[in-house]
Amino acid sequence: MAELFLKQAKQYAENRPDYPKELFEFIASKTPCHDLVWDVGTGSGQAAQSLAGIYKKVIATDTSPKQLQEAPKLTTIRYEHPPPVMSIAQVEQILTPKSSLDLVTIAQALHWFDFQNFYDQVKWALKKPNGVVAAWCYTLPRVNASVDRIMDRLYTVCAGPYWDPLRKFVDDEYRGIDFPFEAVEGACETGPFEFVIEKVMDLEGFFNYIRSWSAYQTAKDKGVELLGSDIVEEFKRAWENDEGGDCKKVVKCPLFLRIGKVGGDVE
């Protein structure tokens, strides 16, 4: 997975949307203590930075050292570059003791993981019975009907052959993903719960977001430019013709959260 983001780590950090405050407030309301979080697949640290404003300490890990280089350096965040596959012994040695975590978060990355191995680590590391695991993904940005139609075609038809097959979990809004945890307090299921990311972008920023896709880089490596001149012109016309042609627009990405707790029966 890390190899997919090697060539655009800086672009990813600069152009991916920030997660909404309401998301972190909701998650934090489900953890009785706010001491220690493990942010897995932290990438360039978007989620870790927000978590650091709520929890005393954040351990943020990623298998891509280039991504970690772009992450914000805060005294409350400890970044680690673990091996792609860890044993429980390595989790204890590199990251944290058993039953020490209040929360495990996975932002836009759970679909890359070996579920069974990772869930075993999560259940070992979380406090019992109320340690919480929260994983979320976001889907295509929405701007207006004209831009959205072009985006949908670009994503499905043009970029479709270059997405990793695991992307299907994101397309399914994490609804079909294995998530063997109990519902948190106040909920009758583990989700997905829906939120919205909002970011003000100009058209070039919108293009840079597309260029941060793993599929964009995969296509480029095969000699295919997904943002060719024709589709760029289509985007420009749709962007500029919408309600007076403001150069900046509010771009909205639907976000889907799975959240659960480890329960009291896990050894």
Side-chain angles (χ1 to χ4, degrees):
M1 179 268 288
E3 294 177 358
L4 293 174
F5 298 98
L6 281 176
K7 295 182 180 179
Q8 73 264 41
K10 187 175 182 62
Q11 202 162 57
Y12 191 100
E14 291 177 349
N15 296 291
R16 285 297 169 121
D18 296 323
Y19 303 116
K21 179 181 177 183
E22 293 79 9
L23 170 71
F24 296 104
E25 290 175 343
F26 178 80
I27 294 170
S29 74
K30 305 303 179 183
T31 60
C33 297
H34 297 153
D35 294 326
L36 184 60
V37 185
W38 177 18
D39 184 44
V40 195
T42 195
S44 46
Q46 283 98 334
Q49 185 172 16
S50 294
L51 290 164
I54 302 172
Y55 293 83
K56 293 178 181 177
K57 293 182 180 180
V58 179
I59 304 167
T61 62
D62 202 278
T63 56
S64 170
K66 277 204 165 186
Q67 290 265 65
L68 292 176
Q69 287 174 11
E70 303 297 332
K73 306 303 186 284
L74 302 175
T75 57
T76 51
I77 303 176
R78 172 164 65 93
Y79 292 102
E80 295 287 350
H81 175 222
V85 179
M86 286 192 293
S87 65
I88 294 293
Q90 287 174 308
V91 173
E92 183 170 29
Q93 179 184 10
I94 300 171
L95 301 181
T96 192
K98 183 178 181 180
S99 303
S100 60
L101 298 175
D102 298 298
L103 174 65
V104 175
T105 56
I106 316 98
Q108 195 75 358
L110 182 60
H111 51 287
W112 298 115
F113 294 178
D114 175 342
F115 295 148
Q116 187 57 58
N117 183 59
F118 175 62
Y119 291 151
D120 287 345
Q121 296 170 8
V122 169
K123 292 174 180 179
W124 179 88
L126 281 173
K127 293 177 180 177
K128 316 301 184 294
N130 293 315
V132 169
V133 54
W136 62 90
C137 67
Y138 57 90
T139 52
L140 289 183
R142 305 285 84 178
V143 180
N144 61 55
S146 300
V147 173
D148 294 351
R149 278 195 295 271
I150 303 167
M151 171 59 85
D152 291 344
R153 175 160 46 88
L154 174 68
Y155 179 82
T156 304
V157 178
C158 304
Y162 305 105
W163 287 111
D164 188 282
L166 294 174
R167 179 73 187 186
K168 65 184 180 183
F169 288 117
V170 176
D171 294 335
D172 193 39
E173 302 166 354
Y174 276 8
R175 295 178 190 279
I177 211 162
D178 181 38
F179 200 73
F181 299 96
E182 298 179 11
V184 294
E185 298 301 321
C188 59
E189 58 182 19
T190 62
F193 300 94
E194 296 188 26
F195 295 83
V196 177
I197 301 171
E198 293 190 2
K199 184 170 184 175
V200 177
M201 287 185 175
D202 59 18
L203 185 56
E204 187 58 29
F206 190 73
F207 287 153
N208 284 335
Y209 160 75
I210 293 170
R211 293 182 184 110
S212 75
W213 289 356
S214 60
Y216 179 88
Q217 189 60 54
T218 300
K220 190 173 181 180
D221 289 344
K222 294 180 182 296
V224 176
E225 174 54 66
L226 293 180
L227 285 176
S229 57
D230 290 348
I231 201 160
V232 165
E233 286 304 315
E234 284 189 66
F235 271 124
K236 283 182 178 179
R237 288 194 296 270
W239 193 277
E240 293 169 359
N241 289 339
D242 174 57
E243 298 178 0
D246 292 338
C247 62
K248 291 189 176 182
K249 301 188 184 301
V250 177
V251 178
K252 298 181 179 182
C253 294
L255 183 149
F256 302 89
L257 169 71
R258 299 294 302 272
I259 184 169
K261 63 180 182 178
V262 71
D265 298 329
V266 178
E267 294 297 330

